Amino acid sequence: MNYQIEIDGVLTNIKSTHTILDRCRELGIHIPTLCHHEDLGSQKVCGICLVECNGSYIKSCETYPENGMVIKTNTLEIWNKRKDILNKIMETHPNDCLTCEKSKGDCELQNVAFEYNIVNRNKEEINKYEIDNSSSGITRNLNKCILCEKCVAVCKNAQGLGIYEIIQKDGVKEIVIKDGKKLGDSDCVSCGQCVKVCPVGALTEKNSVTHLNNLLKSSEKHIIVQMAPAIKHTIGEEFFIEPGVDATSKMVAALKKLGFDKVFSTDFSADVTIMEEGTELIERVIKGKGKLPMFTSCCPGWVNYVEQSYPDFIDNLSSCKSPQQMFGALAKSYYSDSVNIKKEDIYVVAIMPCTAKKGESEREQMREHGIRDVDLVITTREFAKLIKMNDIDFESLPNDLTYDSFMGLGSSAGRMFGSSGGVMEAALRTVTHILTDGKLDKIEYKALRGFENIKSAEIVLEDKTIKVGVINGIGSAKKVLDAIQKGEIYFDFIEVMACYGGCISGGGAPIPDNLEIRKARMEGMHSFDSNSTLRKSHENIEVLDLYKNYLKEPCGHKSHHILHTTYSKKR
């Protein structure tokens, strides 16, 4: 049903299911918000979106249309009321914008404060709450919280975890971790989705940029860098390039300018992952060696979830390290031996779209003789800050550079790790090739792509049918795990990504981030794949050289020692 209303003197039709805020945004009318997100809707608490309706003031985010409505969005009175709300927020908000992680455009409060010329800001230092640094990937500073409730909504409704709760303490509303815990002691999996929707600096990724910048300028170590598949199609957004555009060359140029000794790609180690994980799958499904279904293990948020909440499924996880960690392990063995540099003198940096990757690099299982596989992880957003703080003009960088050879070549199958369904698709291209001697090589697995919560398919071989599944988000994973435990469904192989859409929407991805942006990122990744001449991991010449000259065979003794890991119950 449609209604006809007047907005700023112009008659317009509006659907009954749309709010006034929805329609105004469709018409290009700017209304500020702090508690609204395109994917989550509005939490209806900040009040900054108020408009005038027939002489009264209403929240546009919660008001649905009625015939005869006359809406005004930009009068002096509205301006002053919004300014009063902002002044009230700023009375209790820290005045540390110069050093805040969300400054330089990512802080929605700062942006709106500039828009409304909030000058009488709080001059006192506010440290009512202790900063929570207990998480390996996320910092929580409740002093900056403006009670927008978006973290509560995304954690509960999108991720199905619900670690945050709203309480009243001495008559004052607070957002806390359930059971009075710190973030690192809770059921948080470090997916970082709360960080992306937080409009201020109350939730940020752990900052490693300053440390890395100093290392690049002063360290005597041999510093090498790997970049995750998703980064190539998202980093451009930080420099006004459309989502999905492949900015690989510019990234390589930027990293060389920053002073890295070698610039490699995680696409390479994603291909190695497929060789190992594909072989492991064949051993489990065909030879009966190991539990089914086998789950992918490249997403640390998902691994955290299994270890914390579903430890009975630990043996179902692939024993393969993630591409990030495989790269680090190979850098300090295969690469170290080839260039004759001691592994303790090699410093491995990973650029990832994921806040959970920081914690993954710190796991005890991801080091040998006290030496970590990966020494430092920064997010996509941190990478952008590193470029900007070194005055590198990203847009003017060349478009014809490639990664350094040896561990820099990746197939488009490896690149597809960055989006939901990509790991499964890459694995099937190699596994079916091995099991059918290439008879299914022309089959595309596009049904496993996209944003559906749970996708499934059956791969029919000559004497075996393999049932596979792809899961989007932790909330969906819980439903599948419960159904498997009850015997209601069966799979042989399941890909799980903690973040909706996969790594392209990881907790360290550029902001803003919503479904339409994620679709563009995914389309860019699929376009790269369709135009690639190297679309299968087992055809990557650098990977073939790795096995020929060093590892000998997938899941062999040497590769199992270097590239595989273990998991344990954690509460």
Side-chain angles (χ1 to χ4, degrees), residues 163-189:
I163 69 162
Y164 297 105
E165 66 179 352
I166 303 166
I167 65 168
Q168 292 285 333
K169 186 176 181 180
D170 298 328
V172 178
K173 185 169 79 169
E174 290 184 4
I175 296 175
V176 299
I177 309 297
K178 282 186 176 179
D179 301 322
K181 295 180 179 179
K182 289 190 173 183
L183 194 59
D185 302 323
S186 71
D187 287 335
C188 173
V189 299

Side-chain angles (χ1 to χ4, degrees), residues 10-27:
V10 178
L11 290 176
T12 184
N13 292 322
I14 177 174
K15 294 179 181 178
S16 60
T17 55
H18 285 196
T19 64
I20 301 302
L21 177 62
D22 293 334
R23 186 58 180 143
C24 285
R25 292 196 164 178
E26 288 175 350
L27 295 171

Side-chain angles (χ1 to χ4, degrees), residues 8 30 37 100 239 241 321 330 333 347 524 561:
D8 291 340
H30 172 63
H37 187 276
C100 180
F239 302 95
I241 297 172
K321 293 180 179 179
L330 289 170
S333 55
Y347 194 88
H561 173 72

Side-chain angles (χ1 to χ4, degrees), residues 471-500:
I471 299 176
N472 251 316
I474 293 296
S476 300
K478 182 182 189 308
K479 296 175 183 177
V480 171
L481 293 175
D482 289 343
I484 291 173
Q485 285 182 326
K486 295 174 182 177
E488 296 173 350
I489 58 174
Y490 175 83
F491 288 99
D492 293 295
F493 185 34
I494 302 176
E495 173 204 305
V496 184
M497 293 291 180
C499 299
Y500 186 65

Side-chain angles (χ1 to χ4, degrees), residues 429-496:
R429 289 179 187 180
T430 291
V431 169
T432 57
H433 175 84
I434 294 171
L435 293 178
T436 69
D437 198 23
K439 293 178 182 178
L440 300 182
D441 281 4
K442 292 185 179 180
I443 291 181
E444 299 285 347
Y445 301 96
K446 294 182 179 180
L448 297 172
R449 300 176 179 180
F451 293 91
E452 293 84 1
N453 291 334
I454 302 169
K455 295 161 284 187
S456 63
E458 291 186 349
I459 313 302
V460 181
L461 307 175
E462 291 181 354
D463 57 351
K464 180 76 174 179
T465 297
I466 301 176
K467 186 170 183 181
V468 300
V470 173
I471 299 176
N472 251 316
I474 293 296
S476 300
K478 182 182 189 308
K479 296 175 183 177
V480 171
L481 293 175
D482 289 343
I484 291 173
Q485 285 182 326
K486 295 174 182 177
E488 296 173 350
I489 58 174
Y490 175 83
F491 288 99
D492 293 295
F493 185 34
I494 302 176
E495 173 204 305
V496 184

Side-chain angles (χ1 to χ4, degrees), residues 321-330 360-361 366 373-374:
K321 293 180 179 179
S322 72
Q324 169 183 285
Q325 295 304 131
M326 282 197 182
F327 180 95
L330 289 170
E360 181 186 44
S361 70
M366 302 300 177
D373 294 342
V374 175

Side-chain angles (χ1 to χ4, degrees), residues 259-280:
F260 286 95
D261 294 297
K262 288 290 181 179
V263 178
F264 292 131
S265 174
T266 318
D267 296 14
F268 163 83
S269 49
D271 283 337
V272 178
T273 302
I274 290 302
M275 299 298 289
E276 296 294 319
E277 192 172 69
T279 302
E280 182 184 6

